[in-house]
Amino acid sequence: MWSTGREVAAGDVVIVWQTRELVQPLLITPGKDFNSKFGHYRHSDLVGIPYGSRVDSRNGRGFIHILRPTPELWTMALPHRTQILYLADIAFITSWLDIRRGSRVIEAGTGSGSFSHSVARTVGPSGRLYSYEFHEGRAEKAREEFIRHGMQDIVTLTHRNVCKDGFTVENSADAVFLDLPAPWDAVVHAKKALRKDRPARICCFSPCMEQVMRAVSALNEAGFTDITMYETLLRPHEVQQFPTPLPLSHVIDKLKDMEKFREEKRLRQIANHKRKREDAEFSEPDKRARTDELNAGDQNSLQAPLITVREEDDANEVEAQMVSLSKVCHEVRGHTSYLTFARLVPFMPETLESAAQAPPLTDN
Ligand code: SAM
């Protein structure tokens, strides 16, 4: 998938990163220009630069970064022809459908190909993605993209209505993902396509609870089990670094000093009380002289230790004491629909037979 070269070449699809909100794909075509509010660039200037480079504009209006595409970047940058799946859902679905290297996966519909790119990378050349799209224009565009991105050996795209005509494979898919307006109409076809020699999985992506209920009913009727619905929510963490200006050992030493100080103060107060009681027996001028002496003693010897940076603490040691703290932000929606998963577990009559022939369990 995509170029694996270190440097950008003519004909490569690159990702132009302008800001977090402005990420665009670009087909490098020498002779063409790229213009944005961050300046003016010539495609030919990008040929030969290493992927990941920052490029300054020709007219001094800003800069861009040229990145090698990944499925994640492609999802951020792709031209939208439909609503698409985003990374939180893609990751969750891939994991719960148990999609891995070598898996045979079905998706319908292809839409803008956001999910397709991630799955194609996961299954790799030893696997297969069968993708179905009934809108001819979208199917054509997706096909062109898959070829341009070097995915044609992994993805087979078919233009068809899967709710009416079903899929092109039988008894061989490990997983089916349905992102359709009426996934329940495709459930029986999905059952036909899934393998029967070991458990296989399905996921329906539905935007509202009524549609989830219809999908669940269809899955139940078709004999799927372990039907479970999930909603993906993101909880971002805001991470910040704070300096702790003192090495921990230094703080511990100072706390010990403080403890010692408090103990000395306590003993001194006891001694004072004792003396004051004894003073009651002295004459008035003698008493004043004794009180002045005691107060002076307190000020001279009872100084609380201050926690400050010692002179010998060098700057590096202090800098090394940075701590990262994370603040949990409010939950945000990380999805556009509910995810209903189910399993198709093979019916194995021989297992039932042997269970029936097994001797009955006894108390011994
Ligand atoms: N998952 C895709 C992605 O991540 O880019 C987006 C899929 S989009 C929401 C749904 C697509 O399903 C549309 O392109 C639509 O044309 C297609 N579709 C709807 N009904 C279909 C059917 N019965 N057979 C095949 N494709 C269908």
Side-chain angles (χ1 to χ4, degrees), residues 23-34:
V23 186
Q24 274 176 263
L26 184 71
L27 175 63
I28 301 294
T29 319
K32 280 195 173 180
D33 292 337
F34 173 75

Side-chain angles (χ1 to χ4, degrees), residues 78-345:
L78 60 77
H80 283 222
R81 299 181 284 271
T82 59
Q83 289 203 336
I84 65 162
L85 253 71
Y86 290 95
L87 297 172
D89 282 324
I90 293 175
F92 196 78
I93 296 164
T94 306
S95 159
W96 277 81
L97 285 183
D98 200 23
I99 299 174
R100 52 180 78 192
R101 261 270 164 304
S103 294
R104 292 165 65 85
V105 181
I106 287 176
E107 78 160 341
T110 315
S112 306
S114 171
F115 186 68
S116 328
H117 280 75
S118 283
V119 174
R121 179 186 58 185
T122 304
V123 301
S126 57
R128 197 91 204 161
L129 171 64
Y130 298 92
S131 188
Y132 300 84
E133 172 58 57
F134 82 166
H135 184 287
E136 197 170 0
R138 281 179 212 146
E140 256 331 292
K141 281 265 174 238
R143 185 169 288 115
E144 280 166 23
E145 269 173 14
F146 294 158
I147 292 171
R148 195 177 309 130
H149 301 169
M151 294 156 61
Q152 66 276 21
D153 293 339
I154 302 174
V155 186
T156 305
L157 195 147
T158 308
H159 169 226
R160 74 156 62 185
N161 181 341
V162 297
C163 295
K164 207 166 126 270
D165 304 322
F167 301 99
T168 50
V169 290
E170 264 187 38
N171 300 324
S172 64
D174 295 293
V176 171
F177 173 60
L178 301 177
D179 183 3
L180 303 167
W184 45 88
D185 287 335
V187 164
V188 283
H189 301 300
K191 185 178 178 180
K192 250 194 215 161
L194 285 169
R195 61 192 304 159
K196 311 291 182 306
D197 55 341
R198 62 173 192 229
R201 298 173 195 225
I202 187 167
C203 174
C204 301
F205 192 75
S206 312
C208 66
M209 213 34 89
E210 290 69 27
Q211 296 197 4
V212 170
M213 298 309 287
R214 286 191 75 171
V216 169
S217 300
L219 289 166
N220 254 326
E221 276 165 30
F224 285 85
T225 60
D226 304 322
I227 302 172
T228 319
M229 197 276 294
Y230 291 93
E231 180 184 18
T232 321
L233 295 171
L234 292 179
R235 173 165 282 185
H237 285 238
E238 207 177 86
V239 181
Q240 285 179 4
Q241 285 225 315
F242 293 95
T244 58
L246 295 173
L248 196 56
S249 57
H250 189 176
V251 176
I252 291 170
D253 287 350
K254 287 296 172 192
L255 288 175
K256 281 184 186 160
D257 288 351
M258 274 191 161
E259 191 59 33
K260 204 168 134 206
F261 163 78
R262 276 197 213 103
E263 183 58 14
E264 280 176 5
K265 192 175 170 189
R266 194 179 69 83
L267 293 174
R268 204 165 271 274
Q269 278 170 346
I270 293 170
N272 272 351
H273 280 301
K274 199 174 156 210
R275 280 196 194 188
K276 274 175 190 162
R277 269 202 311 276
E278 289 167 6
D279 278 357
E281 293 152 20
F282 285 93
S283 66
E284 212 37 56
D286 285 349
K287 264 189 216 169
R288 233 178 286 125
R290 264 177 83 79
T291 313
D292 288 348
E293 183 194 313
L294 286 174
N295 288 345
D298 275 358
Q299 277 169 11
N300 289 341
S301 60
L302 288 182
Q303 293 265 328
L306 291 174
I307 297 191
T308 51
V309 181
R310 285 187 303 221
E311 273 181 18
E312 65 268 26
D313 290 333
D314 77 13
N316 288 340
E317 192 185 356
V318 173
E319 206 169 293
Q321 300 298 316
M322 296 290 283
V323 281
S324 295
L325 296 179
S326 92
K327 194 175 94 186
V328 182
C329 306
H330 289 295
E331 240 169 36
V332 292
R333 284 167 74 89
H335 80 140
T336 46
S337 285
Y338 297 101
L339 303 169
T340 307
F341 292 91
R343 293 205 312 159
L344 185 65
V345 180

